[in-house]
Amino acid sequence: MAPTGRHRALAEHAFSPHDAALRAAARHLGRRRFLTVTAAAAALAFTTNLPARGAVAAPQRDAARIDKDPFTLGVASGDPLPDSVVLWTRLAPEPFEADGGLGEERVTVEWEVAEDESFALVTQRGTAEAHPEYAHSVHIDVRGLEPATRYYYRFRTGTWISPAGRTLTAPAAGDGTSALRLAAVACQAYQDGYYTVHRHLAQDDVDIVFHLGDYLYEYAVNSAGGERRYTDVTLPDVFNRETMTLADYRLRYSLYKSDPDLKAAHAAHPFVVAWDDHETENNYAGSIPENTVPSEEFLVRRAAAYRAYWENQPLRAAQLPQGPDAQLYRRLHWGTLAQFDILDTRQYRSDQAYSDRPHPPGPESDDPARTMTGDAQERWLIDGWRASTALWNVMPQQVCFSQRKLDTTADANMSMDAWDGYRASRNRIVAGAKEAGVANWMVLTGDVHVAYAFDIKDDFDDPQSKTLGTEITSTSVSSGKDGAERPANWDTYMTANPHMKFYDGRRGYARVELGQEAARIDFRTVSAVTTPGAPVTTAASFVTEAGAPGLQPA
């Protein structure tokens, strides 16, 4: 979410020769051909920009020659299964250089997983190649682990050992585990403030973190880090421009992941990540950009953004992009306690109605052909609910699902970027949840830089209609700067939306404990992010009982 217009003009930007070739190729490729070109041409869309084999492979660097710490971007784990978890790191002894300081050489990385922090009880170890084609990132899909078990992991190359990370496998498929504590975070514009929220999250006793989008922002970051106002650090000029190319996106991840508080949160907990818009460009919709450039050209930018996202997150090979496309929606389970259906509400959506301006619902936004998820993802979601045996069905996604009137008039404006601009699509999802008999439905949301708690109603315009589930909207980590407990529109929103049970405009995260009898939600907030070190407090707590949807103060 950002205040810029839908058709903001593109700034002049310097492209590498490789990116210039991609742009030139895109002008001559329609959408269908762009996705079905031959193997030779597909290299232009990153589909064959893979580690080479044989004599033409990238030369091997002697790891003993790496004379600076290559683990400057930390470690991470993610997407836990009962027998597996993804481990991630990315080598970058010079993180603010385009090649990370390792040039075009591949590097051998050792990894190990242990049952204890001291690594006396190592259960698995191996080696992997950090390839320049993947920005020297490493994704280890460790198999053969024990369910519901805490593990510690680390990497080594040459004489350098990474910080240790801590992770957790999911319970076995039929395990009736009694509880799960998760955190939901979103929206971390580096230039808007410090990652104090991540520092507190790293110290919180949660099992897993869901990052709901806007991990990265494409906007320029000045030499002082924007609102961070550095006096002891001067950031390179390479960050003081909008991200457009693969090199730009990779470098921007280097900036974000160099933050010690974000590194601490990743090292402390496994993450499940999903993108929203800013990882690519503000408010894009499928292949339609915010800016007035051809879709074919935008798809080249999207391919670069998606590629860099995968390189910098603990994701499996199944999420590796093919050109400008990647299947990020996926399903995870936590025994019989919870099923998580992680959605992608950007890649497949129809264009925003009414030029993406706040607008009352109307024929354009309510066209039944419009979709937020695309047909395939919609069917996948509803089919998954039909087959679910979980007590809690949790839907982590990006933009406000519940109706949100922006004023108190009879014909109130709503956000055309949220599900209010795709009401037919929302109605199909709601109908699917009802038909599947989803009794304990919880939606996790990011995007809006404030915290909300909603009852999901069968008819949002009738406060007396049946409550079908709960939506928990996590505020931002830093986006929007410090915020306020009660923004100027607080009274308006609370009056216009009776199903909105909570609204707070400060930074923070949502903590949710799922249990056999009920779920508890704690909204954790900090007073400021433009200065570091603010304490964390619980702004409000709610419970929703299993089998009796609806939020009640705890």
Side-chain angles (χ1 to χ4, degrees):
M1 189 178 92
T4 56
R6 176 129 186 90
H7 296 295
R8 171 170 43 84
L10 271 176
E12 289 296 319
H13 198 283
F15 290 82
S16 72
H18 183 59
D19 289 306
L22 286 166
R23 285 163 57 86
R27 296 189 186 100
H28 301 289
L29 292 174
R31 166 73 173 169
R32 184 174 300 277
R33 188 179 172 215
F34 190 84
L35 300 179
T36 58
V37 286
T38 64
L44 294 176
F46 301 107
T47 55
T48 60
N49 184 14
L50 306 176
R53 296 178 180 273
V56 296
Q60 179 84 35
R61 174 181 282 249
D62 180 359
R65 291 172 39 225
I66 300 175
D67 58 4
K68 292 184 178 179
D69 180 9
F71 297 109
T72 56
L73 306 181
V75 300
S77 69
D79 281 21
L81 302 176
D83 66 342
S84 172
V85 71
V86 180
L87 308 181
W88 173 93
T89 193
R90 179 177 155 214
L91 306 182
E94 298 287 354
F96 295 167
E97 291 184 5
D99 62 1
L102 293 174
E104 295 301 311
E105 296 178 309
R106 55 193 167 94
V107 181
T108 299
V109 180
E110 301 171 53
W111 58 269
E112 56 185 357
V113 175
E115 297 177 8
D116 63 312
E117 292 183 80
S118 63
F119 288 84
L121 300 172
V122 173
T123 61
Q124 290 201 43
R125 55 167 49 96
T127 61
E129 295 293 305
H131 293 277
E133 294 89 345
Y134 291 135
H136 294 100
S137 63
V138 175
H139 300 71
I140 309 298
D141 190 358
V142 183
R143 299 283 176 170
L145 300 176
E146 292 297 317
T149 301
R150 179 76 64 191
Y151 288 101
Y152 300 84
Y153 64 94
R154 64 185 178 185
F155 300 89
R156 182 197 307 265
T157 188
T159 61
W160 300 96
I161 300 175
S162 76
R166 185 182 67 164
T167 193
L168 180 67
T169 52
D175 190 330
T177 184
S178 61
L180 164 68
R181 182 176 283 191
L182 65 88
V185 296
C187 305
Q188 52 191 46
Y190 186 95
Q191 67 273 17
D192 277 4
Y194 288 90
Y195 290 163
T196 308
V197 169
H198 278 308
R199 173 56 58 181
H200 291 298
L201 178 58
Q203 297 166 355
D204 205 341
D205 182 22
V206 299
D207 300 307
I208 192 169
V209 176
F210 287 84
H211 199 294
L212 303 172
D214 294 344
Y215 189 100
L216 184 82
Y217 278 70
E218 76 274 32
Y219 303 136
V221 180
N222 67 22
S223 61
E227 289 298 315
R228 297 184 177 215
R229 297 186 178 90
Y230 292 142
T231 58
D232 57 341
V233 174
T234 301
L235 297 179
D237 288 341
V238 70
F239 300 123
N240 200 16
R241 65 192 191 207
E242 184 168 340
T243 52
M244 297 293 296
T245 72
L246 180 59
D248 288 340
Y249 285 107
R250 284 170 167 171
L251 280 165
R252 196 61 53 90
Y253 281 107
S254 294
L255 174 63
Y256 277 56
K257 284 182 167 288
S258 67
D259 183 276
D261 294 335
L262 179 56
K263 287 194 287 187
H266 272 299
H269 313 298
F271 271 56
V272 176
V273 299
W275 55 45
D276 193 16
D277 53 338
H278 287 291
E279 288 90 349
T280 301
E281 179 192 57
N282 178 59
N283 281 20
Y284 78 93
S287 62
I288 302 170
E290 177 189 31
N291 303 300
T292 51
V293 298
S295 289
E296 292 80 9
E297 187 169 340
F298 171 69
L299 287 172
V300 174
R301 181 180 183 182
R302 198 177 89 173
Y306 285 11
R307 175 66 170 267
Y309 184 85
W310 184 86
E311 290 172 346
N312 286 278
Q313 300 292 3
L315 290 167
R316 288 187 167 83
Q319 279 65 60
L320 176 65
Q322 296 297 311
D325 297 302
Q327 184 171 317
L328 197 64
Y329 67 86
R330 59 207 189 277
R331 181 170 291 123
L332 298 172
H333 299 88
W334 207 262
T336 60
L337 180 67
Q339 174 173 297
F340 297 100
D341 298 294
I342 301 104
L343 300 192
D344 175 356
T345 61
R346 279 293 157 192
Q347 186 176 181
Y348 313 105
R349 65 159 67 190
S350 306
D351 196 13
Q352 290 92 340
Y354 300 111
S355 301
D356 198 18
R357 296 189 303 270
H359 198 281
E364 185 177 336
S365 60
D366 285 349
D367 182 346
R370 288 172 53 74
T371 180
M372 177 68 87
T373 62
D375 292 342
Q377 184 177 194
E378 182 179 295
R379 290 193 302 271
W380 167 87
L381 173 63
I382 296 172
D383 287 347
W385 282 338
R386 292 190 183 112
S388 175
T389 59
L391 177 63
W392 296 94
N393 285 276
V394 184
M395 192 176 91
Q397 53 96 57
Q398 290 73 52
V399 295
C400 276
F401 185 82
S402 298
Q403 180 170 285
R404 184 174 55 119
K405 293 182 177 180
L406 306 181
D407 57 67
T408 56
T409 63
D411 200 18
N413 283 335
M414 299 183 193
S415 169
M416 293 297 102
D417 186 58
W419 287 84
D420 282 332
Y422 301 77
R423 296 202 303 179
S425 189
R426 180 171 64 197
N427 289 343
R428 291 192 295 271
I429 299 299
V430 169
K434 292 164 63 177
E435 185 271 333
V438 175
N440 301 300
W441 182 21
M442 180 176 289
V443 177
L444 302 179
T445 298
D447 182 59
V448 287
H449 309 169
V450 297
Y452 296 132
F454 293 102
D455 283 345
I456 301 173
K457 306 299 286 186
D458 196 16
D459 179 355
F460 285 110
D461 291 321
D462 179 6
Q464 302 307 312
S465 69
K466 185 177 181 180
T467 298
L468 303 177
T470 299
E471 180 175 5
I472 304 303
T473 300
S474 176
T475 186
S476 66
V477 171
S478 58
S479 304
K481 306 174 188 177
D482 292 336
E485 180 177 0
R486 290 198 173 188
N489 57 14
W490 190 91
D491 286 324
T492 299
Y493 280 23
M494 295 296 287
T495 300
N497 303 284
H499 55 286
M500 182 185 287
K501 305 302 181 182
F502 177 70
Y503 175 16
D504 191 297
R506 292 170 292 184
R507 311 286 70 85
Y509 63 98
R511 186 176 62 200
V512 180
E513 184 167 358
L514 302 176
Q516 293 289 337
E517 304 297 328
R520 178 188 173 98
I521 301 98
D522 297 314
F523 288 97
R524 305 279 283 166
T525 61
V526 297
S527 58
V529 293
T530 55
T531 55
V536 65
T537 59
T538 299
S541 298
F542 295 87
V543 294
T544 179
E545 294 182 3
L551 289 160
Q552 302 295 331

